Amino acid sequence: MKKVNFVAVKLFVMKRVCTFFIFVLFCALTVNAQKESSLRLPQLFQSGMVMQRGVSLPVWGWAKAGESVDVVFKKKVYTCVADADGRWQVELPAQKAGGPHTIIIKCGEQQTELTNVLIGDVWLCSGQSNIDVTIERVYPQYGKVIDDYSNEQIRMFRVQTDTDMYEPKQDVKSTPINWLTASKQNAWTFSAVGYFLAREMYEKTGVPQGVIVNSLGGTPIQAWLSADSLQKYFPNDYRRLQFYQDDEMVAAMSKANQKVSSRWEKLLDEYDPGLSEDYAQPEYDDHEWTVKNQYDPLTANPQYTGSFWARQQVKIDAWHAGQPARLLVGTLYDMDYTFMNGKEVGRTYYQYPPRRYQIPSGLLHEGDNTLTIRFITKGGAPHFIKEKPYKLIFEDGTELPLSEQWRVHEGATMQRPPLSDISVQNLPSVLYNAMLHPLAPYSLAGVVWYQGESNTGGDSKYYEQMLNQLITGWRQLWKNESLPFMVVQLANFMEPSEKPQHTGWTEVREAQRQATLHNDNTELAVIIDLGETVDIHPLRKREVAQRIALGFERMLWNKKLALSPVVVKSTTDGSKVNLSVDQPLLSDGVLYEFELAGADGRFVNAEATGSGSGIVVTSPIEKPVYVRYAWKNNPIRANVFAKNGLPMSPFTLKVE
């Protein structure tokens, strides 16, 4: 009889048992994964969210087709069945402000629990970079106003950047953290307008506030319109969208542009003597460089392309030697690498952000310290931006202004890189599809639209029609024909002019004004006094939010509240144009930035005076037919304000 090797048998059995259990475990994990994946909620539905008071509350998501879903809220169960596409939705009844609440969603053995849910007001803030401007950017403007504030009743949700050229998405791009409470830390990279709006509305109402921000810098209004509306009203934009609906072509163009940029930057570095000779080092001899005031042209070529260097000596006293400091180098055109004593202390890749660089301990020494800036431009002379801070700030509060005198020298000149325009985020409909459509039908109190700068070019004459369609289309998407809209008008910007102007900026402002006149339940936030000559992103975002809040207050519960003054009647007696305003003006006397034109439409400057709620414009021409006010890129002398402190909007109108 053959001897049995019990050890081998035991090992064989154990091996088979282990294999079986691994198989069972794998199947269990697979089943569990399937279970976990079958019930899904939109990104908006997370613990800590705010839902809109006083209206029915859609709660929706996805499961397997035909599955039953229960939503449990305040001890009541609301049941629905997922449709053929797997989408399910229930409507919770209107709720009073309050909380926190818990919402439980059940599907079979799966369950999701949303805790700390508040009921209050929810605002959607959308547009381009002036909505994007963060608390970090405006912090020096407000300081303790931000330092000393936190509020668990305010929650902030940021929609992540995404695009889709083909069709509306079901959900926005996922993000690990959302619905953050209002604090300096949480708001640091959040929209300043959204943050301050929530604060203002909380002060007005005392109820929880939720702010959803979906915006993207540099984007035109077309990117936020549905493809259906483009096809119907703006066929050229629709055809442009269709042209780019080729993934292989777009990928090839994007890859080519990346290669062109990389090649251009590589050659720039190879050709730049400032890198090979190390212009940033303190011991470099720059005595033969040209001395320039930073606000004079640094180079004779207005389309200079390449690298450009600037240096100055900063004298540090014995007390501050070795101490850390903040270096403020204003804002610069376009990209910069900034060095102190040969060490890079910061870099910024485009012109708009303020340069606020940290100087570490031990880098500054007593006596002369070498500050060096390497500019990079791809078409347009390098320059320092006026009216911005240029200084060192030490921890003890001491401020040391930088000199306006720099030694400057060309680095390497280059041809402008031959890039093809393939900024997908700027294409028609792509942001509507990916960042707007998935948010509906989440109930809202109102919408803020703060955009227009990117439409001040050739298509500014169509902006009113596009804005009308945006308001209509978004209301249709939310199935709410009276959804309140606040339109933020373009601020004053660029060099002032004493002569009459007609530009894309003036056209877009008028389009914004007209859109609010012709759409019910819309208001205009006039900020013609809050802009900056040198910065397309003015920093006074709290004041912008205050004016937005006033508009919502008027639309929602205080119809008699006066906003910016409006001309309600205009007449002429041949030598004067008389304007009647809907409310008393802040002060009587001389008013500026008025213009008149005859039937030929040629405007000339005109003198004006105000008294009470009337304005008299003295005509320098015979038979004035048209009057306009603040009709310039930067009507810096515009001084028509109501007694409530709000400015009158720029306008143009025909005299009766």
Side-chain angles (χ1 to χ4, degrees), residues 466-525:
M466 291 180 177
L467 183 52
N468 288 336
Q469 188 55 41
L470 181 138
I471 294 170
T472 300
W474 288 22
R475 285 174 170 171
Q476 289 173 348
L477 179 62
W478 261 269
K479 298 180 181 179
N480 183 353
E481 294 182 357
S482 60
L483 179 65
F485 261 80
M486 279 301 302
V487 176
V488 183
Q489 195 179 48
L490 293 185
N492 50 307
F493 175 54
M494 291 181 276
E495 285 296 321
S497 171
E498 293 184 2
K499 297 179 179 180
Q501 291 179 313
H502 185 92
T503 69
W505 281 73
T506 61
E507 287 185 339
V508 168
R509 285 196 197 109
E510 179 66 5
Q512 293 167 327
R513 187 180 76 90
Q514 291 291 339
T516 58
L517 289 175
H518 298 131
N519 287 279
D520 292 337
N521 229 29
T522 63
E523 293 289 353
L524 185 69

Side-chain angles (χ1 to χ4, degrees), residues 342-577:
K343 179 181 176 62
E344 183 181 332
V345 294
R347 66 176 72 174
T348 303
Y349 293 98
Y350 64 110
Q351 70 183 92
Y352 295 118
R355 273 58 169 179
R356 302 172 187 155
Y357 300 143
Q358 190 64 34
I359 306 294
S361 299
L363 184 57
L364 297 174
H365 55 254
E366 184 179 358
D368 285 341
N369 294 257
T370 303
L371 172 61
T372 308
I373 297 176
R374 183 192 186 213
F375 293 85
I376 307 292
T377 68
K378 294 186 177 181
H383 58 274
F384 296 85
I385 305 299
K386 297 178 181 178
E387 301 175 23
K388 295 295 181 180
Y390 295 87
K391 57 188 173 183
L392 277 171
I393 303 176
F394 293 92
E395 290 184 340
D396 64 3
T398 301
E399 296 189 1
L400 178 62
L402 301 180
S403 171
E404 291 185 3
Q405 305 302 312
W406 296 76
R407 291 185 177 274
V408 301
H409 193 66
E410 289 187 1
T413 57
M414 300 277 288
Q415 294 293 319
R416 182 178 297 192
L419 299 174
S420 301
D421 181 17
I422 190 58
S423 299
V424 173
Q425 73 275 10
N426 295 336
L427 293 177
S429 296
V430 297
L431 301 183
Y432 176 93
N433 288 344
M435 295 175 66
L436 187 280
H437 183 274
L439 301 180
Y442 199 87
S443 295
L444 303 173
V447 176
V448 178
W449 178 249
Y450 192 173
Q451 189 275 345
E453 296 88 345
S454 290
N455 288 96
T456 56
D459 57 3
S460 58
K461 59 186 176 181
Y462 304 115
Y463 192 83
E464 181 185 348
Q465 186 183 1
M466 291 180 177
L467 183 52
N468 288 336
Q469 188 55 41
L470 181 138
I471 294 170
T472 300
W474 288 22
R475 285 174 170 171
Q476 289 173 348
L477 179 62
W478 261 269
K479 298 180 181 179
N480 183 353
E481 294 182 357
S482 60
L483 179 65
F485 261 80
M486 279 301 302
V487 176
V488 183
Q489 195 179 48
L490 293 185
N492 50 307
F493 175 54
M494 291 181 276
E495 285 296 321
S497 171
E498 293 184 2
K499 297 179 179 180
Q501 291 179 313
H502 185 92
T503 69
W505 281 73
T506 61
E507 287 185 339
V508 168
R509 285 196 197 109
E510 179 66 5
Q512 293 167 327
R513 187 180 76 90
Q514 291 291 339
T516 58
L517 289 175
H518 298 131
N519 287 279
D520 292 337
N521 229 29
T522 63
E523 293 289 353
L524 185 69
V526 180
I527 59 170
I528 198 64
D529 59 323
L530 299 181
E532 298 181 28
T533 298
V534 297
D535 199 338
I536 200 171
H537 304 117
L539 299 182
R540 296 175 64 187
K541 298 304 187 205
R542 187 185 190 191
E543 290 82 349
V544 173
Q546 287 170 338
R547 295 180 188 181
I548 295 170
L550 286 172
F552 281 131
E553 179 180 349
R554 173 171 164 147
M555 284 187 282
L556 292 170
W557 66 81
N558 189 1
K559 301 295 184 184
K560 294 183 179 180
L561 179 68
L563 300 179
S564 288
V566 175
V567 173
V568 293
K569 187 177 182 181
S570 62
T571 59
T572 179
D573 59 11
S575 61
K576 289 181 173 57
V577 172

Side-chain angles (χ1 to χ4, degrees), residues 567-593:
V567 173
V568 293
K569 187 177 182 181
S570 62
T571 59
T572 179
D573 59 11
S575 61
K576 289 181 173 57
V577 172
N578 301 297
L579 305 176
S580 297
V581 183
D582 67 346
Q583 56 189 295
L585 301 181
L586 180 62
S587 58
D588 298 338
V590 178
L591 302 175
Y592 298 100
E593 302 289 11

